[in-house]
Amino acid sequence: MATPPSPTPLMKLLAVSLLCSLFFLLGSYTKYSITISPPLQAPHLPSPSPCLPLPINFTSIHQSALSPRRPLDFEPHHSIPLPPPREKAAHFLAPCPKNYTNYCPCHDPSRQKRFAIERFFHRERHCPETHERLRCLVPRPVGYRTPFPWPKSRDYAWFKNVPFPRLILYKKTQNWVKLEGDRFFFPGGGTSFPMGAKGYVDLIKRVVPLKSGAIRTVLDVGCGVASFGASLLDLNIITMSIAPVDIHEAQVQFALERGLPAMLGILSTYRLPYPSRSFDMAHCSRCLVPWTNYDGQYLMEIDRVLRPGGYWVLSGPPISWRTSYKGWQREAKELENEQIGLEDLAKRLCWKKIAERGPIAVWRKPTNHVHCIQKLKAWKSPKLCALGNPDAGWYTKLEKCITPLPKVNNIHETSGGTLEKWPKRLNTAPPRTRSEMKERIAAKAFNEDNQLWKKRVSYYKIILKSLARRKYRNAIDMNAGLGGFAAALAKYPVWVMNVVPYDAKNNTLGIIYERGLIGTYMNWCEAFSTYPRTYDLIHANGLFSVYIHKCDILDILLEIYRILRPEGALIIRDHVDIIVKVKDMVDRMRWNGKVFHSENGPYHPQKVLLVDNSEQISS
């Protein structure tokens, strides 16, 4: 069968030309018919149902095509008037009354009257119930000024920031603080060192190796305005200074205004909020603690938080009673009996008295309990604590027993392990990371955590310019972990209060102290033990994820507002879903919060919410 001939190229070209001409004519006809013909009449349709679209109005389409410059109308056209819009200001949180300028929720003198004065229990933490909490912004005092920068703040503070002259009157002969015009001046005096803390520290230095690097963390009980801790900073020693709210008014607030670590605290009914074996040295300068009362529980608590081989330094009654009893207006025999009882109690704790020179006496805790266990068998009291967690320190009642040290293999070994000297110990995995604790953390994870926080702090310097300019002095890390944030800030003129939630899955506060840092346990559903406006920089890593189902996170933000200085900064690092919720609440507080990607980039779910008040003070 013959194959039909294929079309020639000329025929193909002719066919394409004919088709193009036909489509052109059809298109032209359609265009001009729409333009010149009268508008189409829409057929009659029933009234539209609310669920059906309206019929298309071709007239409107035609007219709008002829008038392209007419602005589009996006306004709603309601047939029923809407309720008037709510005032935007009602969305904001209101300021508290002016008399709440120095409000401390858990240390409120007006609440103290509800509790027993025995053992000064009324000065312990007593936080308001949920229905009693203030949902307002604690105001700053009239005339408030930015605190002096460090290190000038160690010597000066603005009177309007801490307007309490009573301390000057009570301690006018002891050189604690003086008022010079519109500012306070801190000469460095104290109850037992009226001529200056430096000479007092020099006296201790003759007995205790303060310059060796072995002494890094110190607890100062009844700290006054923390002049003792200020002098120890010259030796690279950091001091946790504690004092209650008392008739002297705001000792701790003075200390923090100076840029010195301090918090409200008292030896009363509960343990101090620190783990066992925390401090290399503990100190009391006429702190008025009845050490031998209540079966010696207060000195036993000092023993609990004192590191093996640590030092206890005491000045004031009854030490040097022979030369001082007249000035103290006390009977010599009474003071003598008091010192005998104190010496006996220290001996039963297995402490060794190493010196008594002038106004001070120094004891040393044993490095292990090998000999102590043998001695305690011969004595009726006290005994070693048999049960309980030695590191528990959150509303844990004091006990009439000695906290046992970790077991050792021989008499020459240090319980819990030997620490490196400062500053090497900061970045060396401490003994607690290598222990057989339930919350064991490997040294590898410790080192990785260090590197992680160096990277994160480097990123913070980019988004928070004031950090790079070394603006901040008092910082608090609300969920400190291993203390990596504080360690990464070591080169800055800043100290960090490392906070570990009391019920954290891994209790890392002991590791933090072994690194040579300080901190405390805390339940952030309650208020912190400090005065308003005492921290320049607040850091919260994963905190709101931890507390999202435990309490109202607005209460936590209000507490942050209370303790943050007006020109301070807040860094919140959390999951994006949490950040969105927190950002809305931050806006209600009239803070200018900005959300950033983390250093991991835009595809990582962790984000950073930054509040930087350094340019504009929040109202």
Side-chain angles (χ1 to χ4, degrees):
M1 183 175 180
T3 304
S6 59
T8 64
L10 182 60
M11 294 176 64
K12 290 182 180 179
L13 181 61
L14 181 61
V16 171
S17 299
L18 289 172
L19 287 173
C20 288
S21 300
L22 178 63
F23 290 149
F24 176 77
L25 292 173
L26 288 173
S28 300
Y29 174 79
T30 305
K31 174 183 176 182
Y32 288 107
S33 66
I34 294 177
T35 304
I36 62 177
S37 64
L40 296 175
Q41 298 296 320
H44 177 74
L45 293 175
S47 300
S49 165
C51 298
L52 295 175
L54 292 172
I56 300 173
N57 190 331
F58 290 94
T59 305
S60 299
I61 295 175
H62 168 68
Q63 291 177 346
S64 63
L66 297 176
S67 306
R69 294 184 181 179
R70 182 183 298 176
L72 299 175
D73 181 14
F74 291 104
E75 292 299 318
H77 301 279
H78 299 288
S79 59
I80 301 176
L82 293 175
R86 185 174 57 177
E87 290 293 330
K88 188 175 182 180
H91 181 69
F92 294 133
L93 291 165
C96 301
K98 292 182 179 179
N99 59 329
Y100 283 89
T101 297
N102 296 293
Y103 180 52
C104 299
C106 299
H107 300 270
D108 185 3
S110 64
R111 287 179 54 81
Q112 291 180 356
K113 300 175 183 178
R114 307 181 191 179
F115 304 96
I117 62 173
E118 184 182 0
R119 296 183 63 165
F120 295 101
F121 178 68
H122 62 298
R123 292 185 181 171
E124 286 272 17
R125 285 176 57 89
H126 299 292
C127 301
E129 301 293 335
T130 302
H131 67 278
E132 298 177 300
R133 293 176 183 171
L134 294 179
R135 285 293 182 88
C136 55
L137 307 174
V138 172
R140 57 182 178 271
V142 176
Y144 180 87
R145 300 177 66 175
T146 303
F148 290 98
W150 182 263
K152 189 175 182 179
S153 64
R154 177 156 56 176
D155 299 324
Y156 295 97
W158 296 114
F159 175 79
K160 290 294 183 68
N161 291 9
V162 199
F164 303 117
R166 186 179 299 183
L167 195 61
I168 301 171
L169 301 176
Y170 273 82
K171 302 294 183 182
K172 60 183 178 181
T173 63
Q174 297 173 7
N175 236 14
W176 280 31
V177 59
K178 295 180 179 180
L179 184 60
E180 298 181 348
D182 59 354
R183 67 188 67 183
F184 289 111
F185 171 61
F186 301 93
T191 304
S192 292
F193 36 98
M195 300 307 296
K198 186 178 183 303
Y200 180 80
V201 168
D202 287 340
L203 183 60
I204 298 174
K205 197 162 53 177
R206 300 175 189 175
V207 182
V208 181
L210 298 180
K211 296 179 65 176
S212 67
I215 309 295
R216 166 61 183 172
T217 55
V218 171
L219 174 67
D220 188 14
V221 180
C223 62
V225 295
S227 292
F228 178 69
S231 294
L232 289 177
L233 283 175
D234 295 332
L235 301 170
N236 287 321
I237 294 173
I238 189 166
T239 305
M240 176 70 81
S241 298
I242 63 171
V245 176
D246 62 7
I247 58 173
H248 297 152
E249 289 183 328
Q251 297 177 68
V252 166
Q253 190 172 11
F254 274 113
L256 287 160
E257 193 71 13
R258 299 175 67 185
L260 303 171
M263 62 183 293
L264 290 165
I266 188 172
L267 277 167
S268 171
T269 305
Y270 300 117
R271 286 179 176 180
L272 297 173
Y274 317 119
S276 64
R277 299 179 282 129
S278 297
F279 297 98
D280 302 312
M281 186 173 85
H283 171 260
C284 161
S285 172
R286 203 175 181 183
C287 57
L288 305 180
V289 175
W291 296 110
T292 57
N293 291 5
Y294 313 111
D295 298 313
Q297 284 185 326
Y298 297 151
L299 204 58
M300 292 177 191
E301 175 62 0
I302 295 297
D303 179 77
R304 183 185 72 88
V305 300
L306 201 59
R307 199 177 306 286
Y311 299 86
W312 187 54
V313 180
L314 176 66
S315 64
I319 306 304
S320 70
W321 62 268
R322 291 178 178 83
T323 58
S324 304
Y325 72 95
K326 291 182 180 180
W328 295 335
Q329 298 180 344
R330 299 273 303 274
E331 293 293 331
K333 189 63 178 177
E334 178 188 3
L335 288 165
E336 181 183 14
N337 291 336
E338 189 175 315
Q339 178 148 358
I340 291 172
L342 182 64
E343 301 272 11
D344 180 67
L345 178 58
K347 182 180 178 181
R348 291 176 180 272
L349 293 174
C350 304
W351 292 2
K352 180 181 180 181
K353 188 175 184 180
I354 60 174
E356 182 172 344
R357 296 185 180 180
I360 69 167
V362 181
W363 285 263
R364 191 177 187 191
K365 180 178 177 176
T367 55
N368 58 63
H369 273 165
V370 174
H371 282 324
C372 190
I373 292 173
Q374 297 173 356
K375 292 179 181 178
L376 290 175
K377 291 179 180 178
W379 295 331
K380 293 183 179 180
S381 64
K383 301 293 184 182
L384 290 174
C385 301
L387 300 173
N389 178 6
D391 291 337
W394 188 250
Y395 294 122
T396 304
K397 286 193 173 182
L398 296 174
E399 297 181 89
K400 300 175 184 178
C401 55
I402 301 173
T403 302
L405 291 173
K407 295 181 180 180
V408 294
N409 296 320
N410 60 74
I411 190 69
H412 303 293
E413 190 177 348
T414 299
S415 289
T418 303
L419 299 180
E420 297 284 354
K421 293 183 178 181
W422 182 264
K424 188 176 180 180
R425 67 192 274 189
L426 176 65
N427 293 305
T428 302
R432 291 198 199 215
T433 63
R434 303 188 297 269
S435 69
E436 295 302 320
M437 294 166 57
K438 183 179 180 181
E439 304 87 0
R440 182 178 59 189
I441 299 172
K444 180 182 178 182
F446 174 85
N447 294 327
E448 290 175 350
D449 186 77
N450 269 357
Q451 296 304 315
L452 175 65
W453 280 107
K454 286 180 182 178
K455 178 182 177 182
R456 289 177 172 178
V457 169
S458 294
Y459 178 68
Y460 291 161
K461 288 192 300 181
I462 297 173
I463 63 175
L464 181 59
K465 305 300 182 184
S466 301
L467 178 60
R469 294 197 296 265
R470 307 167 76 86
K471 174 183 173 65
Y472 305 112
R473 174 59 187 171
N474 299 355
I476 185 168
D477 193 358
M478 300 177 71
N479 188 22
L482 298 176
F485 174 71
L489 289 173
K491 64 181 180 180
Y492 294 89
V494 61
W495 66 271
V496 180
M497 180 71 76
N498 294 279
V499 180
V500 173
Y502 79 102
D503 57 350
K505 183 178 180 181
N506 290 323
N507 181 1
T508 56
L509 193 54
I511 292 174
I512 288 171
Y513 271 95
E514 288 191 342
R515 299 186 70 172
L517 304 169
I518 59 172
T520 181
Y521 293 121
M522 181 60 192
N523 176 6
W524 285 111
C525 291
E526 301 178 0
F528 195 64
S529 293
T530 192
Y531 286 87
R533 303 171 301 280
T534 45
Y535 286 92
D536 306 300
L537 177 63
I538 297 180
H539 181 253
N541 173 42
L543 181 82
F544 292 94
S545 289
V546 172
Y547 282 92
I548 190 71
H549 298 300
K550 294 182 179 180
C551 55
D552 194 331
I553 60 176
L554 177 59
D555 289 328
I556 301 177
L557 283 167
L558 288 171
E559 176 62 4
I560 291 174
Y561 187 98
R562 185 184 75 90
I563 68 178
L564 184 65
R565 285 176 172 169
E567 294 184 18
L570 167 65
I571 302 173
I572 299 175
R573 172 186 288 268
D574 221 310
H575 190 277
V576 61
D577 295 341
I578 299 293
I579 290 293
V580 170
K581 294 179 182 179
V582 174
K583 174 64 166 61
D584 179 65
M585 297 179 188
V586 163
D587 292 342
R588 293 177 60 191
M589 297 160 65
R590 295 185 175 89
W591 270 347
N592 184 22
K594 297 180 180 179
V595 178
F596 294 85
H597 297 302
S598 71
E599 66 286 342
N600 298 313
Y603 301 109
H604 197 278
Q606 193 176 67
K607 304 299 176 185
V608 175
L609 172 59
L610 174 66
V611 176
D612 182 6
N613 295 326
S614 60
E615 301 298 331
Q616 181 179 1
I617 299 179
S618 59
S619 58

